[in-house]
Coordinates of all heavy atoms in Angstrom, one line a residue:
M289 N -24.3 -2.8 28.4 CA -23.6 -3.2 29.6 C -22.4 -4.0 29.2 O -22.4 -4.8 28.3 CB -24.6 -4.1 30.4 CG -25.8 -3.4 31.0 SD -26.8 -4.5 32.0 CE -25.8 -4.8 33.4
N290 N -21.3 -3.8 30.0 CA -20.1 -4.5 29.7 C -20.2 -5.9 30.4 O -21.0 -6.1 31.3 CB -18.8 -3.7 30.1 CG -18.7 -3.5 31.5 OD1 -18.9 -4.4 32.4 ND2 -18.2 -2.3 31.9
S291 N -19.2 -6.7 30.1 CA -19.2 -8.1 30.7 C -19.1 -8.1 32.2 O -19.7 -9.0 32.9 CB -18.2 -9.0 30.0 OG -16.9 -8.5 30.3
D292 N -18.4 -7.2 32.8 CA -18.2 -7.2 34.2 C -19.6 -6.8 34.9 O -19.9 -7.4 35.9 CB -17.2 -6.1 34.7 CG -15.8 -6.6 34.4 OD1 -15.6 -7.8 34.2 OD2 -14.9 -5.7 34.3
Q293 N -20.3 -5.9 34.3 CA -21.6 -5.5 34.8 C -22.6 -6.6 34.7 O -23.4 -6.9 35.6 CB -22.1 -4.3 34.1 CG -21.3 -3.0 34.3 CD -21.7 -1.9 33.4 OE1 -22.0 -2.1 32.2 NE2 -21.6 -0.6 33.9
V294 N -22.6 -7.3 33.6 CA -23.5 -8.5 33.4 C -23.2 -9.5 34.4 O -24.1 -10.1 35.0 CB -23.3 -9.0 31.9 CG1 -24.0 -10.4 31.8 CG2 -23.8 -8.0 30.9
T295 N -21.9 -9.8 34.6 CA -21.5 -10.8 35.6 C -22.0 -10.4 37.0 O -22.5 -11.2 37.8 CB -20.0 -11.0 35.6 OG1 -19.6 -11.5 34.3 CG2 -19.5 -12.0 36.6
L296 N -21.8 -9.2 37.4 CA -22.2 -8.7 38.7 C -23.7 -8.8 38.9 O -24.1 -9.3 39.9 CB -21.7 -7.2 38.9 CG -22.3 -6.5 40.2 CD1 -21.6 -7.1 41.4 CD2 -22.1 -5.0 40.1
V297 N -24.4 -8.3 37.9 CA -25.9 -8.4 38.0 C -26.3 -9.8 38.2 O -27.2 -10.2 39.0 CB -26.6 -7.7 36.8 CG1 -28.1 -8.0 36.8 CG2 -26.3 -6.2 36.8
G298 N -25.8 -10.7 37.4 CA -26.2 -12.1 37.4 C -25.8 -12.8 38.8 O -26.7 -13.5 39.3
Q299 N -24.7 -12.5 39.3 CA -24.2 -13.1 40.5 C -25.1 -12.5 41.7 O -25.5 -13.3 42.6 CB -22.8 -12.8 40.8 CG -21.8 -13.6 39.9 CD -20.4 -13.2 40.1 OE1 -20.1 -12.1 40.6 NE2 -19.5 -14.1 39.6
V300 N -25.3 -11.3 41.7 CA -26.1 -10.7 42.8 C -27.5 -11.2 42.8 O -28.1 -11.6 43.8 CB -26.1 -9.1 42.7 CG1 -27.1 -8.5 43.7 CG2 -24.7 -8.6 43.0
F301 N -28.1 -11.2 41.6 CA -29.5 -11.7 41.5 C -29.6 -13.2 41.8 O -30.5 -13.6 42.5 CB -30.1 -11.4 40.1 CG -31.6 -11.6 40.1 CD1 -32.4 -10.8 40.8 CD2 -32.1 -12.7 39.4 CE1 -33.8 -11.0 40.8 CE2 -33.5 -12.9 39.4 CZ -34.3 -12.0 40.1
E302 N -28.7 -14.0 41.4 CA -28.7 -15.4 41.7 C -28.6 -15.6 43.2 O -29.3 -16.4 43.8 CB -27.6 -16.1 41.0 CG -27.7 -17.6 41.1 CD -26.6 -18.3 40.2 OE1 -26.0 -17.7 39.3 OE2 -26.4 -19.5 40.4
S303 N -27.7 -14.9 43.9 CA -27.6 -14.9 45.3 C -28.9 -14.5 46.0 O -29.3 -15.1 46.9 CB -26.4 -14.1 45.8 OG -26.3 -14.0 47.1
Y304 N -29.4 -13.4 45.5 CA -30.7 -12.9 46.1 C -31.8 -13.9 46.0 O -32.5 -14.2 46.9 CB -31.1 -11.6 45.4 CG -32.5 -11.1 45.7 CD1 -32.7 -10.3 46.9 CD2 -33.6 -11.4 44.9 CE1 -33.9 -9.9 47.2 CE2 -34.8 -11.0 45.3 CZ -35.0 -10.2 46.4 OH -36.3 -9.8 46.8
V305 N -32.0 -14.5 44.8 CA -33.0 -15.5 44.6 C -32.8 -16.7 45.5 O -33.7 -17.2 46.0 CB -33.1 -15.9 43.1 CG1 -33.9 -17.1 42.8 CG2 -33.6 -14.7 42.2
S306 N -31.6 -17.1 45.6 CA -31.3 -18.3 46.4 C -31.6 -18.0 47.9 O -32.0 -18.9 48.6 CB -29.8 -18.7 46.3 OG -29.5 -19.1 45.0
E307 N -31.4 -16.8 48.3 CA -31.7 -16.5 49.7 C -33.2 -16.2 50.0 O -33.8 -16.7 50.9 CB -30.9 -15.2 50.1 CG -31.1 -14.9 51.6 CD -30.3 -13.7 52.0 OE1 -29.3 -13.4 51.3 OE2 -30.6 -13.1 53.1
Y308 N -33.8 -15.4 49.1 CA -35.2 -15.0 49.3 C -36.3 -15.8 48.6 O -37.5 -15.7 49.0 CB -35.4 -13.5 48.9 CG -34.6 -12.6 49.8 CD1 -33.4 -12.1 49.5 CD2 -35.2 -12.1 51.0 CE1 -32.7 -11.3 50.3 CE2 -34.5 -11.2 51.8 CZ -33.3 -10.8 51.5 OH -32.6 -10.0 52.3
H309 N -36.0 -16.6 47.6 CA -37.0 -17.2 46.8 C -36.7 -18.7 46.5 O -37.2 -19.3 45.6 CB -37.1 -16.5 45.4 CG -37.7 -15.1 45.6 ND1 -39.0 -14.9 45.9 CD2 -37.0 -13.9 45.6 CE1 -39.1 -13.5 46.0 NE2 -38.0 -13.0 45.8
K310 N -35.9 -19.3 47.4 CA -35.6 -20.7 47.2 C -36.8 -21.6 47.3 O -37.0 -22.5 46.4 CB -34.6 -21.2 48.3 CG -34.2 -22.6 48.2 CD -33.2 -22.9 49.3 CE -32.7 -24.4 49.2 NZ -31.7 -24.7 50.2
N311 N -37.7 -21.3 48.2 CA -39.0 -22.1 48.3 C -39.8 -21.9 47.1 O -40.5 -22.9 46.6 CB -39.7 -21.8 49.6 CG -39.0 -22.3 50.8 OD1 -38.3 -23.3 50.7 ND2 -39.2 -21.6 51.9
D312 N -39.9 -20.7 46.5 CA -40.7 -20.4 45.3 C -40.2 -21.3 44.2 O -41.0 -21.9 43.4 CB -40.6 -19.0 44.9 CG -41.2 -18.0 46.0 OD1 -42.1 -18.5 46.7 OD2 -40.8 -16.9 46.0
I313 N -38.9 -21.3 44.0 CA -38.3 -22.1 42.9 C -38.5 -23.6 43.1 O -38.9 -24.3 42.2 CB -36.8 -21.8 42.8 CG1 -36.6 -20.4 42.4 CG2 -36.1 -22.8 41.9 CD1 -35.1 -19.9 42.4
L314 N -38.4 -24.1 44.4 CA -38.7 -25.5 44.6 C -40.1 -25.9 44.3 O -40.4 -26.9 43.8 CB -38.3 -25.8 46.1 CG -36.8 -25.8 46.4 CD1 -36.6 -26.0 47.9 CD2 -36.1 -26.8 45.6
L315 N -41.1 -25.0 44.7 CA -42.5 -25.3 44.4 C -42.7 -25.3 42.9 O -43.5 -26.1 42.4 CB -43.4 -24.2 45.0 CG -43.5 -24.3 46.5 CD1 -44.3 -23.1 47.1 CD2 -44.1 -25.6 47.0
I316 N -42.1 -24.4 42.1 CA -42.2 -24.4 40.7 C -41.6 -25.7 40.1 O -42.2 -26.3 39.2 CB -41.5 -23.1 40.1 CG1 -42.3 -21.9 40.4 CG2 -41.4 -23.3 38.6 CD1 -41.6 -20.6 40.1
L317 N -40.5 -26.1 40.6 CA -39.9 -27.3 40.1 C -40.7 -28.6 40.3 O -40.7 -29.6 39.6 CB -38.5 -27.5 40.7 CG -37.5 -26.5 40.2 CD1 -36.2 -26.7 41.0 CD2 -37.2 -26.6 38.7
K318 N -41.6 -28.5 41.4 CA -42.5 -29.6 41.7 C -43.7 -29.7 40.8 O -44.5 -30.6 40.9 CB -42.8 -29.6 43.2 CG -41.6 -29.9 44.1 CD -42.1 -29.9 45.5 CE -40.9 -30.1 46.4 NZ -41.2 -30.0 47.8
E319 N -44.0 -28.6 40.1 CA -45.2 -28.5 39.3 C -45.2 -29.6 38.2 O -44.1 -29.9 37.7 CB -45.4 -27.1 38.7 CG -45.7 -26.1 39.7 CD -47.1 -26.2 40.2 OE1 -48.0 -26.8 39.6 OE2 -47.3 -25.7 41.4
R320 N -46.4 -30.1 37.9 CA -46.4 -31.2 36.9 C -46.3 -30.7 35.4 O -45.7 -31.4 34.6 CB -47.8 -31.9 37.0 CG -48.0 -32.6 38.3 CD -49.3 -33.3 38.4 NE -49.6 -33.8 39.7 CZ -49.4 -35.0 40.0 NH1 -48.9 -35.9 39.2 NH2 -49.7 -35.4 41.3
D321 N -46.7 -29.5 35.1 CA -46.7 -29.0 33.7 C -45.4 -28.3 33.5 O -45.2 -27.2 33.9 CB -47.9 -28.0 33.5 CG -48.0 -27.6 32.1 OD1 -47.1 -28.0 31.2 OD2 -49.0 -27.0 31.7
E322 N -44.5 -29.0 32.8 CA -43.1 -28.5 32.5 C -43.1 -27.4 31.5 O -42.2 -26.6 31.4 CB -42.2 -29.6 32.1 CG -42.0 -30.6 33.1 CD -41.0 -31.7 32.7 OE1 -40.5 -31.7 31.5 OE2 -40.9 -32.7 33.4
D323 N -44.2 -27.3 30.7 CA -44.3 -26.3 29.7 C -44.9 -25.0 30.1 O -44.9 -24.0 29.4 CB -45.0 -26.8 28.4 CG -44.3 -28.0 27.8 OD1 -43.0 -27.9 27.8 OD2 -44.9 -28.9 27.4
A324 N -45.5 -25.0 31.3 CA -46.2 -23.8 31.8 C -45.1 -22.8 32.3 O -44.0 -23.1 32.6 CB -47.2 -24.1 32.9
H325 N -45.6 -21.6 32.4 CA -44.7 -20.5 33.0 C -45.2 -20.1 34.3 O -46.4 -19.9 34.5 CB -44.7 -19.3 32.0 CG -44.1 -19.5 30.7 ND1 -42.8 -19.2 30.5 CD2 -44.6 -20.0 29.6 CE1 -42.5 -19.6 29.2 NE2 -43.6 -20.1 28.7
Y326 N -44.3 -20.0 35.3 CA -44.7 -19.7 36.7 C -43.9 -18.5 37.1 O -42.7 -18.4 36.8 CB -44.3 -20.9 37.6 CG -45.1 -22.2 37.2 CD1 -44.5 -23.1 36.4 CD2 -46.4 -22.4 37.6 CE1 -45.2 -24.3 36.0 CE2 -47.1 -23.5 37.3 CZ -46.4 -24.5 36.5 OH -47.1 -25.6 36.1
P327 N -44.5 -17.6 37.8 CA -43.8 -16.3 38.2 C -43.0 -16.5 39.5 O -43.4 -17.3 40.3 CB -45.0 -15.3 38.4 CG -46.1 -16.2 38.9 CD -45.9 -17.5 38.1
V328 N -42.0 -15.7 39.6 CA -41.3 -15.5 40.8 C -41.4 -14.0 41.1 O -40.8 -13.2 40.3 CB -39.8 -16.0 40.8 CG1 -39.1 -15.6 42.1 CG2 -39.7 -17.5 40.5
V329 N -42.2 -13.7 42.1 CA -42.4 -12.2 42.3 C -41.3 -11.7 43.3 O -41.1 -12.2 44.4 CB -43.8 -12.0 43.0 CG1 -44.0 -10.6 43.3 CG2 -44.9 -12.6 42.1
V330 N -40.6 -10.7 42.7 CA -39.4 -10.2 43.4 C -39.8 -8.8 44.0 O -40.3 -8.0 43.3 CB -38.2 -10.1 42.5 CG1 -37.0 -9.4 43.1 CG2 -37.8 -11.5 42.0
N331 N -39.5 -8.6 45.2 CA -39.6 -7.3 45.9 C -38.4 -6.4 45.5 O -37.3 -6.6 45.9 CB -39.7 -7.4 47.4 CG -39.9 -6.1 48.1 OD1 -39.4 -5.1 47.7 ND2 -40.7 -6.2 49.2
A332 N -38.7 -5.5 44.6 CA -37.6 -4.6 44.0 C -36.9 -3.9 45.1 O -35.7 -3.7 45.1 CB -38.2 -3.7 43.0
M333 N -37.6 -3.4 46.1 CA -36.9 -2.6 47.2 C -35.9 -3.5 47.9 O -34.8 -3.1 48.2 CB -38.0 -2.1 48.2 CG -38.8 -1.0 47.6 SD -37.8 0.5 47.0 CE -37.2 1.0 48.6
T334 N -36.3 -4.7 48.2 CA -35.4 -5.7 48.9 C -34.2 -6.0 48.0 O -33.1 -6.0 48.5 CB -36.1 -7.0 49.3 OG1 -37.3 -6.6 50.0 CG2 -35.2 -7.9 50.1
L335 N -34.4 -6.2 46.8 CA -33.3 -6.5 45.8 C -32.4 -5.3 45.7 O -31.2 -5.5 45.8 CB -33.9 -6.8 44.5 CG -32.9 -7.0 43.3 CD1 -31.9 -8.1 43.6 CD2 -33.6 -7.2 42.0
F336 N -32.9 -4.1 45.6 CA -32.1 -2.9 45.4 C -31.4 -2.5 46.7 O -30.3 -2.0 46.6 CB -32.9 -1.8 44.8 CG -33.5 -2.0 43.5 CD1 -34.6 -1.3 43.0 CD2 -33.0 -3.0 42.6 CE1 -35.2 -1.5 41.8 CE2 -33.6 -3.3 41.4 CZ -34.7 -2.5 41.0
E337 N -32.0 -2.9 47.8 CA -31.3 -2.7 49.1 C -30.1 -3.6 49.2 O -29.1 -3.3 49.8 CB -32.2 -2.9 50.3 CG -33.2 -1.7 50.4 CD -34.3 -2.0 51.5 OE1 -34.3 -3.1 52.1 OE2 -35.1 -1.1 51.8
T338 N -30.2 -4.8 48.6 CA -29.1 -5.8 48.7 C -27.9 -5.2 47.9 O -26.8 -5.4 48.4 CB -29.6 -7.1 48.0 OG1 -30.7 -7.6 48.7 CG2 -28.5 -8.1 48.0
N339 N -28.2 -4.6 46.8 CA -27.1 -4.0 46.0 C -27.7 -2.9 45.2 O -28.4 -3.1 44.2 CB -26.5 -5.1 45.1 CG -25.3 -4.6 44.3 OD1 -25.4 -3.6 43.6 ND2 -24.2 -5.3 44.5
M340 N -27.3 -1.6 45.5 CA -27.9 -0.5 44.9 C -27.5 -0.4 43.4 O -28.2 0.2 42.6 CB -27.5 0.8 45.6 CG -28.2 0.9 47.0 SD -27.7 2.3 48.0 CE -27.8 3.6 47.0
E341 N -26.4 -0.9 43.0 CA -26.0 -0.9 41.6 C -27.0 -1.6 40.7 O -27.2 -1.2 39.6 CB -24.6 -1.5 41.4 CG -23.4 -0.7 41.8 CD -22.1 -1.4 41.6 OE1 -21.7 -2.2 42.4 OE2 -21.5 -1.2 40.5
I342 N -27.5 -2.7 41.3 CA -28.5 -3.4 40.5 C -29.7 -2.5 40.1 O -30.2 -2.5 39.0 CB -29.0 -4.6 41.3 CG1 -27.9 -5.6 41.6 CG2 -30.1 -5.4 40.5 CD1 -27.1 -6.1 40.5
G343 N -30.2 -1.7 41.0 CA -31.2 -0.7 40.7 C -30.8 0.3 39.7 O -31.6 0.6 38.8
E344 N -29.6 0.7 39.8 CA -29.1 1.7 38.7 C -29.1 1.0 37.4 O -29.5 1.6 36.4 CB -27.7 2.2 39.1 CG -27.7 3.1 40.4 CD -26.4 3.4 40.9 OE1 -25.4 3.2 40.1 OE2 -26.2 3.9 42.0
Y345 N -28.5 -0.2 37.3 CA -28.4 -0.9 36.0 C -29.8 -1.2 35.5 O -30.1 -1.1 34.3 CB -27.7 -2.2 36.1 CG -26.2 -2.0 36.4 CD1 -25.5 -2.8 37.3 CD2 -25.5 -1.0 35.8 CE1 -24.2 -2.7 37.6 CE2 -24.1 -0.8 36.1 CZ -23.5 -1.6 36.9 OH -22.1 -1.5 37.2
F346 N -30.7 -1.6 36.4 CA -32.1 -1.9 36.0 C -32.8 -0.6 35.4 O -33.5 -0.7 34.4 CB -32.9 -2.4 37.2 CG -34.3 -2.8 36.8 CD1 -34.5 -4.1 36.2 CD2 -35.4 -2.0 37.0 CE1 -35.8 -4.5 35.8 CE2 -36.7 -2.4 36.6 CZ -36.9 -3.7 36.0
N347 N -32.6 0.5 35.9 CA -33.1 1.8 35.4 C -32.5 2.2 34.1 O -33.2 2.7 33.2 CB -33.0 2.9 36.4 CG -34.0 2.8 37.6 OD1 -35.1 2.3 37.4 ND2 -33.5 3.2 38.7
M348 N -31.2 1.9 33.9 CA -30.5 2.3 32.7 C -30.7 1.3 31.6 O -30.8 1.6 30.4 CB -29.0 2.5 32.9 CG -28.7 3.7 33.8 SD -27.0 4.1 34.0 CE -26.3 2.6 34.7
F349 N -30.8 0.0 31.9 CA -30.8 -1.1 30.9 C -31.9 -2.1 31.2 O -31.5 -3.3 31.5 CB -29.4 -1.8 30.8 CG -28.2 -0.9 30.7 CD1 -27.4 -0.6 31.7 CD2 -28.0 -0.3 29.4 CE1 -26.3 0.2 31.6 CE2 -26.9 0.5 29.3 CZ -26.0 0.8 30.4
P350 N -33.1 -1.7 31.3 CA -34.1 -2.7 31.8 C -34.2 -4.0 31.0 O -34.3 -5.1 31.6 CB -35.4 -1.9 31.8 CG -35.2 -0.7 30.8 CD -33.7 -0.5 30.9
S351 N -34.2 -3.9 29.7 CA -34.4 -5.1 28.9 C -33.2 -6.1 29.1 O -33.4 -7.3 29.3 CB -34.5 -4.8 27.4 OG -35.6 -4.1 27.2
E352 N -32.0 -5.5 29.2 CA -30.8 -6.4 29.4 C -30.8 -7.0 30.8 O -30.5 -8.2 30.9 CB -29.5 -5.6 29.2 CG -29.3 -5.1 27.7 CD -29.9 -3.8 27.4 OE1 -30.8 -3.3 28.1 OE2 -29.4 -3.2 26.4
V353 N -31.2 -6.2 31.8 CA -31.2 -6.7 33.2 C -32.2 -7.8 33.3 O -31.9 -8.8 34.0 CB -31.3 -5.5 34.2 CG1 -31.6 -6.0 35.6 CG2 -30.1 -4.6 34.1
L354 N -33.4 -7.6 32.8 CA -34.4 -8.7 32.9 C -33.9 -10.0 32.2 O -34.2 -11.0 32.8 CB -35.7 -8.2 32.2 CG -36.5 -7.1 33.0 CD1 -37.7 -6.6 32.3 CD2 -36.9 -7.6 34.4
T355 N -33.2 -9.9 31.1 CA -32.7 -11.1 30.5 C -31.6 -11.7 31.4 O -31.6 -13.0 31.6 CB -32.0 -10.7 29.2 OG1 -33.0 -10.1 28.3 CG2 -31.4 -11.9 28.5
I356 N -30.8 -10.9 32.1 CA -29.8 -11.5 33.0 C -30.5 -12.1 34.2 O -30.2 -13.2 34.7 CB -28.9 -10.3 33.5 CG1 -28.1 -9.8 32.3 CG2 -28.0 -10.8 34.6 CD1 -27.4 -8.5 32.6
F357 N -31.6 -11.5 34.7 CA -32.4 -12.0 35.8 C -33.0 -13.4 35.4 O -32.9 -14.3 36.2 CB -33.6 -11.1 36.2 CG -33.2 -9.9 37.0 CD1 -34.1 -9.0 37.3 CD2 -31.9 -9.6 37.3 CE1 -33.8 -7.8 38.1 CE2 -31.5 -8.5 38.0 CZ -32.5 -7.6 38.4
D358 N -33.5 -13.5 34.2 CA -34.0 -14.8 33.7 C -33.0 -15.8 33.7 O -33.2 -17.0 34.2 CB -34.6 -14.6 32.3 CG -35.3 -15.8 31.8 OD1 -36.2 -16.3 32.5 OD2 -35.0 -16.3 30.7
S359 N -31.8 -15.5 33.2 CA -30.7 -16.5 33.2 C -30.3 -16.9 34.6 O -30.0 -18.1 34.9 CB -29.5 -15.9 32.5 OG -29.8 -15.7 31.1
A360 N -30.3 -15.9 35.5 CA -29.9 -16.2 36.9 C -31.0 -17.1 37.6 O -30.6 -18.0 38.4 CB -29.7 -14.9 37.7
L361 N -32.2 -16.9 37.3 CA -33.3 -17.8 37.8 C -33.1 -19.2 37.3 O -33.3 -20.2 38.1 CB -34.7 -17.3 37.4 CG -35.2 -16.2 38.3 CD1 -36.5 -15.6 37.6 CD2 -35.6 -16.7 39.6
R362 N -32.8 -19.3 36.0 CA -32.5 -20.7 35.5 C -31.4 -21.4 36.2 O -31.5 -22.6 36.5 CB -32.3 -20.6 34.0 CG -33.5 -20.2 33.2 CD -33.2 -20.0 31.7 NE -34.2 -19.4 31.0 CZ -35.1 -20.0 30.3 NH1 -35.0 -21.3 30.1 NH2 -36.1 -19.4 29.6
R363 N -30.3 -20.6 36.4 CA -29.1 -21.2 37.1 C -29.5 -21.6 38.5 O -29.1 -22.7 39.0 CB -28.0 -20.2 37.1 CG -27.3 -20.1 35.8 CD -25.9 -19.3 35.9 NE -26.0 -18.1 36.6 CZ -26.4 -16.9 36.0 NH1 -26.6 -16.9 34.7 NH2 -26.4 -15.8 36.7
S364 N -30.3 -20.8 39.2 CA -30.7 -21.1 40.6 C -31.6 -22.4 40.6 O -31.5 -23.2 41.5 CB -31.5 -20.0 41.1 OG -30.7 -18.8 41.3
A365 N -32.4 -22.6 39.6 CA -33.2 -23.7 39.5 C -32.4 -25.0 39.3 O -32.8 -26.1 39.7 CB -34.3 -23.6 38.4
L366 N -31.3 -24.9 38.6 CA -30.4 -26.1 38.4 C -29.8 -26.5 39.7 O -29.5 -27.6 39.9 CB -29.4 -25.8 37.3 CG -29.9 -25.5 35.9 CD1 -28.8 -25.1 35.0 CD2 -30.6 -26.8 35.4

């Protein structure tokens, strides 16, 4: 993926998470165990409807896109 694609995927996912999963992130941040891992379950259909390119990138570059999603979740938590 080129840098423009990485930026787009990150921005779209961060926006999506902020809109659809803000409460999930807030609940995770309130958890006592800072070293535990907590899931954020994303509805892929809703995400891909938000931006169809994200679905295409996810199908072509799943490992890279998941890494971008992880970074976007961290930014959203900040």
Side-chain angles (χ1 to χ4, degrees):
M289 292 180 69
N290 68 40
S291 62
D292 290 338
Q293 293 168 325
V294 170
T295 300
L296 173 70
V297 170
Q299 289 173 341
V300 169
F301 191 68
E302 190 172 344
S303 173
Y304 171 84
V305 167
S306 295
E307 182 176 342
Y308 290 94
H309 295 284
K310 183 177 181 178
N311 289 334
D312 297 331
I313 293 171
L314 291 174
L315 289 174
I316 290 169
L317 292 172
K318 291 179 183 177
E319 289 292 334
R320 295 180 190 262
D321 188 352
E322 294 179 6
D323 295 324
H325 294 267
Y326 301 96
V328 174
V329 179
V330 173
N331 182 325
M333 289 301 293
T334 305
L335 172 61
F336 299 158
E337 286 173 356
T338 301
N339 185 304
M340 291 175 50
E341 281 181 277
I342 301 301
E344 292 172 15
Y345 293 141
F346 186 79
N347 286 328
M348 292 188 301
F349 310 104
S351 296
E352 292 90 339
V353 170
L354 288 174
T355 300
I356 297 166
F357 285 179
D358 185 54
S359 295
L361 276 169
R362 291 174 192 260
R363 286 192 306 275
S364 293
L366 293 173

